[in-house]
Amino acid sequence: MTKRKTGTARRALAAAALFGAAALGLASTAREAAAQEGVYVPLFTYRTGPFAGSGIPIADGMRDYLTMLNERDGGIGGVKIVLDECETGYDTKKGLECYDAVKGKKPVIVNPWSTGITLPLIPKASVDKIPILSMAYGLSASARGDIFPWVFNPPDTYWDGLGIILRYIGQQEGGIEKLKGKKIGYIYFDGGFGKEPIPLFEQMAKDFGFELKLYPVAPGDMQNQSSQWLSVRRDRPEYMVMYGWGAMNPTAIKEAAKINYPMEKFVSIWWPGEDDIRGTDGAKGFKMINWHGIGTDFPALKDIQKHVVDKGLSKANKDKVGELLYNRGVYNSLLIAEGIAQAQKITGKKMVDGADVRRGLENINLDEARLKELGLAGFTGTLKLTCDNHNGHRSAFIQQWDGAKWVKISDPIEPMADKVKPALDAAAQDYAEKNAGWPKRTEPCDKAS
Amino acid sequence: MFYREAGQYKTSYAADMAVFPIRQDRIGLAVILFTAFVLIPAFGNQFFLSSVMIPTLVFALAAIGLNILTGYTGLISLGTAAFMGVGAYACYKLTTWFPGVNIIVWIIASGFVSAFVGAMFGLPSLRIKGFYLVVATLAAQFFLQWCFGRIPWLVNYNTSGAIEAPERFLFGIPITGANATPESRYLVVLGVVALMTWFASNLVHGRVGRAWMAVRDMDIAAELMGIRLLTTKLLAFAVSSFYCGVSGALMVFLWYGSAEPEVFVINQSFLILFMVIIGGLGSLVGSFMGAALIYMLPIVLRLLPAALGVPIAAATVEHLQFIIVGVLIIVFLIAEPHGLARLWQTGKQKLRIWPFPY
């Protein structure tokens, strides 16, 4: 062996040894890091990977609202919020790693922002005493607070979303009974989230007499939907319903425009954002569900601009503040902050822990007065959570893309509670039964204050 | 100086053919086992155990499985993740049918289910080789992944489409489910991985392993020497899938706690293939090194800025980590194209003649 090669090999060995030493050293310091004074709120975000397009505005919105509370009010109830972002890349492995990394620092709440990460965390929540806020995603059945005391998914489940969409389509046709004999297409992300509504959708197809056409989009093929839309062109469904996420949304909108599908008959669940649709010719008329305001015309959003964005504390571009998914992040943080505030109110403590925030979340009562007090009057409908109802099943409205921005085009529409409730109860019972030994709720219920 | 076999006399053939003929190696192995079984669970914190050690061990076991097929028998496969999935789903079905039977039994049993499926998909390997076989195993990957997502029977008709690990006990201590402590889960994973590594070591050093390597080096020559290709190749597929299946079951039951079909995607197959290539083809210790490099290094890099007190955003760290890991992989492969295992061997060779190299 030559001298040169020896040198390389030795250097590489030294590097390996160094790396090993670093690994051991770091593992021990990971736990002690960032034990600062305040309520610790980790944010699981994804600013990298195929879902970053949706993940970045949400992350910015969540972060900026809580930062604004820190800057403007010095936190919540006089206690600073210690923020910490953990990058998941929408990957379950990394999400679990994030959870284990933050668990030691006593988080009061976790927001997984991925159904895949939410599912493994659900059984852990009651053991680790850390409530999970999976805002309008995750396991629909976790809306049942009596079975899932530690999991919250307000303001709507995916089944509620489907009920709202069908009710809206019914309105367009002049009555839900007019759906008889119609054809409705369903293009969906072929994973847990997109598949969840199918049994209910099929049930509704039977009840209302419409024909349901399924167009699954495999997770690996989100950006290649030409075959699905070819089938759409052949089948000519009167309406298209979409449950998509990440790169699937812009692709679907582009493909629909390409085959000249009438956009005003294309209704999506609440996940597309402006960036998914902007710049697509022929996307005008596209519709989606939403439950909160867009823009910065609310005092709290103005405060974010004043205290966070203008001071350079935000990672978002100035013009992105107030966009749809940014405000979705703000809504998420509104619930976090309200959960903490209610927890402080109930317990009288300032430094609340996960168990207190769980009680706080069960006592969330965002009525008109409270929203006004928070500077968010008119931002969203009221929301009241109880011990049994961890979701709210709130009404939502339909908005339409006018070529440059979203325009609200409907009044709030109620979900179909009569159809959703049995499915929800059955799913929750089923979950508890299949996970034999699922703990009975022992957490006492607070009287509404 | 310290690491040489001078003065260690072998008095039997068995001693001469031992896997670790040098006493220092045996001491080293004992130290590693002592560290793994006693020191790490005693002193490691929860994060280190459940997010660093358990995943690395699970991936190391899968890498051993793939190494048996690719490194020892020379058959390249891209279906590793799918075979892991078979193990995971089989274990789920078995333990929900017969909840009374110990979960360890089912984890091992699910390996046999995976072995059967693997042998089925190994049949084309008798006629096709190289890139064509890659395509055939790719078909296995896509077909099985499709099954996980489309056959509701596999998930017991759960509406979420995911499998959840129910709570199971070993000696009265929960080892799966939310109540299982990281220590108990780690010890179970370590026990299974250590036992199966020992078994694999005996396998590859014995008659079966020599047959595999003969097939790898030249299958016609092997056939002329009397090695039956059919049984040898299928056995390689079966054993490889057995290892992958057990690792998949460990992954879902003792690490994730629940899994969607998206867990077993092709990216995972590639990840394990990279571990095998970087660790060293045809080396068991290389499988561990590869798993450690590919899985641990990103975690260390992610923690590094926070530990040093450098305020960098999480996303930036993520991007940096991609760059650094990519560069390091290239550096390691340039330094030693035969993987970390060969690097380790070269290092030991150097150590023997240290401090007077000739």
Side-chain angles (χ1 to χ4, degrees):
Chain A
M1 193 173 283
T2 61
K3 261 265 170 330
R4 237 185 93 140
K5 184 110 193 253
T6 322
T8 330
R10 190 175 296 155
R11 270 201 300 280
L13 263 184
L18 206 70
F19 153 65
L24 279 176
L26 278 173
S28 53
T29 52
R31 189 164 48 176
E32 287 97 64
Q36 295 163 38
E37 198 52 26
V39 178
Y40 179 62
V41 179
L43 301 176
F44 290 12
T45 57
Y46 36 103
R47 295 169 184 273
T48 61
F51 297 90
S54 306
I56 292 172
I58 290 173
D60 287 332
M62 285 202 288
R63 186 193 171 91
D64 289 356
Y65 182 77
L66 294 174
T67 313
M68 183 273 285
L69 293 182
N70 269 346
E71 293 291 315
R72 188 189 64 184
D73 312 334
I76 301 169
V79 183
K80 269 240 187 267
I81 310 159
V82 180
L83 284 176
D84 188 9
E85 265 190 47
C86 190
E87 173 71 29
T88 68
Y90 203 73
D91 178 355
T92 306
K93 277 197 279 295
K94 283 193 206 153
L96 289 178
E97 188 195 315
C98 279
Y99 183 78
D100 282 326
V102 302
K103 198 168 83 176
K105 299 184 218 164
K106 302 258 167 285
V108 298
I109 192 165
V110 290
N111 312 263
W113 273 106
S114 143
T115 299
I117 303 173
T118 310
L119 294 176
L121 294 188
I122 287 175
K124 295 187 188 204
S126 60
V127 177
D128 297 333
K129 307 279 176 230
I130 302 168
I132 296 171
L133 175 61
S134 55
M135 192 195 71
Y137 57 86
L139 189 72
S140 288
S142 60
R144 284 278 301 268
D146 50 342
I147 293 174
F148 299 92
W150 291 86
V151 189
F152 296 80
N153 57 354
D156 278 304
T157 66
Y158 286 131
W159 289 333
D160 294 322
L162 183 66
I164 294 169
I165 291 176
L166 286 182
R167 232 185 250 263
Y168 173 75
I169 293 177
Q171 283 176 9
Q172 295 303 101
E173 291 292 315
I176 195 106
E177 64 285 347
K178 294 270 173 61
L179 288 181
K180 204 171 179 65
K182 291 265 187 305
K183 212 186 267 179
I184 297 181
Y186 177 50
I187 185 156
Y188 61 102
F189 180 74
D190 196 10
F193 136 70
K195 279 195 290 195
E196 200 179 31
I198 294 176
L200 188 68
F201 218 152
E202 281 168 346
Q203 178 64 39
M204 301 240 209
K206 217 179 283 164
D207 292 355
F208 297 120
F210 60 84
E211 190 189 343
L212 175 64
K213 288 272 179 193
L214 299 178
Y215 307 102
V217 177
D221 282 338
M222 291 194 300
Q223 278 153 306
N224 174 21
Q225 301 175 17
S226 36
S227 67
Q228 284 88 348
W229 288 95
L230 212 61
S231 311
V232 171
R233 195 156 71 171
R234 188 192 57 218
D235 297 341
R236 300 191 173 282
E238 268 93 353
Y239 284 91
M240 281 297 287
V241 176
M242 173 162 77
Y243 275 46
W245 187 223
M248 180 179 156
N249 288 329
T251 313
I253 295 168
K254 274 198 195 75
E255 290 286 342
K258 215 190 271 174
I259 66 160
N260 283 324
Y261 189 84
M263 279 294 173
E264 59 281 1
K265 308 247 162 137
F266 188 9
V267 192
S268 168
I269 196 77
W270 39 70
W271 292 121
E274 279 93 345
D275 287 340
D276 293 333
I277 192 166
R278 191 182 285 135
T280 305
D281 292 329
K284 197 174 156 187
F286 177 77
K287 291 170 181 173
M288 65 179 283
I289 311 185
N290 187 15
W291 68 79
H292 57 75
I294 299 169
T296 56
D297 244 353
F298 307 95
L301 267 297
K302 289 262 180 276
D303 282 343
I304 289 181
Q305 287 181 320
K306 186 172 142 205
H307 293 281
V308 184
V309 181
D310 291 346
K311 282 191 197 165
L313 295 173
S314 172
K315 290 184 181 170
N317 281 337
K318 270 188 182 153
D319 54 333
K320 295 274 176 201
V321 175
E323 283 198 345
L324 178 63
L325 290 181
Y326 182 94
N327 282 10
R328 187 73 44 81
V330 169
Y331 185 88
N332 189 104
S333 279
L334 165 70
L335 295 179
I336 298 175
E338 193 60 12
I340 295 172
Q342 288 297 330
Q344 289 173 333
K345 203 162 126 193
I346 300 168
T347 58
K349 289 191 289 190
K350 287 208 158 186
M351 285 292 291
V352 287
D353 60 15
D356 301 330
V357 171
R358 191 199 66 76
R359 290 168 65 192
L361 286 167
E362 283 191 339
N363 282 288
I364 279 188
N365 185 5
L366 285 167
D367 52 14
E368 300 290 346
R370 179 69 182 152
L371 284 170
K372 192 155 193 290
E373 193 182 335
L374 293 168
L376 288 166
F379 180 70
T380 177
T382 58
L383 175 72
K384 183 172 166 53
L385 300 183
T386 65
C387 299
D388 288 336
N389 185 347
H390 278 195
N391 183 282
H393 307 291
R394 296 299 306 141
S395 55
F397 57 85
I398 302 288
Q399 61 187 19
Q400 191 171 27
W401 183 252
D402 75 350
K405 62 176 189 311
W406 296 107
V407 183
K408 186 173 169 177
I409 55 162
S410 85
D411 291 327
I413 302 172
E414 291 289 330
M416 296 185 181
D418 54 327
K419 305 263 182 211
V420 172
K421 187 89 171 61
L424 197 71
D425 291 346
Q429 289 301 342
D430 191 48
Y431 185 97
E433 264 165 38
K434 282 192 181 138
N435 292 278
W438 186 251
K440 283 236 163 353
R441 179 177 169 130
T442 50
E443 290 79 7
C445 190
D446 290 297
K447 277 271 158 283
S449 45
Chain B
M1 193 153 67
F2 307 108
Y3 180 77
R4 63 182 47 164
E5 65 269 44
Q8 298 175 25
Y9 301 110
K10 313 273 189 328
T11 51
S12 66
Y13 284 117
D16 198 36
M17 291 191 302
V19 178
F20 298 104
I22 304 175
R23 190 189 300 131
Q24 283 86 338
D25 273 350
R26 292 195 291 271
I27 296 171
L29 185 71
V31 170
I32 290 173
L33 285 179
F34 180 74
T35 311
F37 274 100
V38 180
L39 294 185
I40 289 179
F43 297 107
N45 66 28
Q46 293 212 334
F47 176 76
F48 183 66
L49 286 179
S50 58
S51 282
V52 181
M53 286 315 289
I54 292 177
T56 308
L57 286 173
V58 167
F59 277 126
L61 192 63
I64 289 175
L66 184 60
N67 224 332
I68 286 172
L69 193 63
T70 306
Y72 285 98
T73 323
L75 305 168
I76 306 175
S77 161
L78 280 180
T80 322
F83 297 133
M84 288 175 79
V86 172
Y89 281 84
C91 192
Y92 176 70
K93 286 304 285 186
L94 287 168
T95 192
T96 46
W97 272 333
F98 307 103
V101 180
N102 194 306
I103 187 75
I104 304 285
V105 174
W106 287 141
I107 287 176
I108 303 294
S110 56
F112 286 104
V113 177
S114 184
F116 175 74
V117 176
M120 288 291 109
F121 281 100
L123 282 174
S125 69
L126 299 169
R127 296 185 70 92
I128 52 180
K129 277 187 246 170
F131 288 121
Y132 299 94
L133 183 62
V134 172
V135 175
T137 54
L138 200 62
Q141 167 72 40
F142 287 131
F143 173 73
L144 291 170
Q145 201 191 322
W146 181 89
C147 290
F148 302 150
R150 292 305 168 81
I151 304 180
W153 174 80
L154 283 175
V155 298
N156 285 349
Y157 305 96
N158 280 346
T159 40
S160 59
I163 50 174
E164 317 267 347
E167 188 161 55
R168 294 286 183 267
F169 296 86
L170 181 70
F171 309 127
I173 302 164
I175 56 167
T176 67
N179 285 313
T181 59
E183 286 82 3
S184 57
R185 285 187 293 134
Y186 167 75
L187 284 174
V188 171
V189 173
L190 182 66
V192 172
V193 172
L195 266 180
M196 287 183 65
T197 309
W198 172 74
F199 186 73
S201 162
N202 281 327
L203 213 53
V204 298
H205 286 101
R207 187 182 60 80
V208 178
R210 285 196 299 278
W212 285 340
M213 285 183 264
V215 170
R216 172 190 67 190
D217 294 340
M218 195 177 189
D219 56 354
I220 293 180
E223 207 172 5
L224 285 173
M225 282 192 292
I227 293 169
R228 286 201 292 180
L229 290 188
L230 174 77
T231 43
T232 313
K233 284 186 172 178
L234 284 192
L235 189 66
F237 259 102
V239 174
S240 160
S241 307
F242 178 83
Y243 275 76
C244 293
V246 171
S247 122
L250 289 176
M251 178 173 183
V252 171
F253 279 76
L254 288 121
W255 172 18
Y256 275 33
S258 96
E260 294 183 293
E262 283 81 61
V263 169
F264 304 105
V265 289
I266 182 129
N267 281 359
Q268 179 135 310
S269 296
F270 278 121
L271 196 72
I272 294 162
L273 188 63
F274 296 156
M275 287 173 183
V276 170
I277 291 173
I278 289 160
L281 286 166
S283 158
L284 294 179
V285 67
S287 305
F288 284 90
M289 291 177 172
L293 183 80
I294 300 263
Y295 197 82
M296 271 188 194
L297 188 63
I299 298 181
V300 173
L301 289 176
R302 274 200 288 275
L303 293 179
L304 205 59
L308 298 176
V310 185
I312 305 182
T316 320
V317 172
E318 191 75 11
H319 291 301
L320 281 175
Q321 171 242 310
F322 279 126
I323 297 169
I324 295 173
V325 173
V327 169
L328 273 182
I329 286 172
I330 293 170
V331 167
F332 272 116
L333 285 182
I334 290 174
E336 183 50 73
H338 293 286
L340 297 174
R342 180 65 69 84
L343 208 60
W344 173 241
Q345 232 170 18
T346 320
K348 284 206 295 190
Q349 215 56 35
K350 296 263 170 276
L351 206 60
R352 273 180 67 203
I353 49 174
W354 183 82
F356 302 113
Y358 44 83

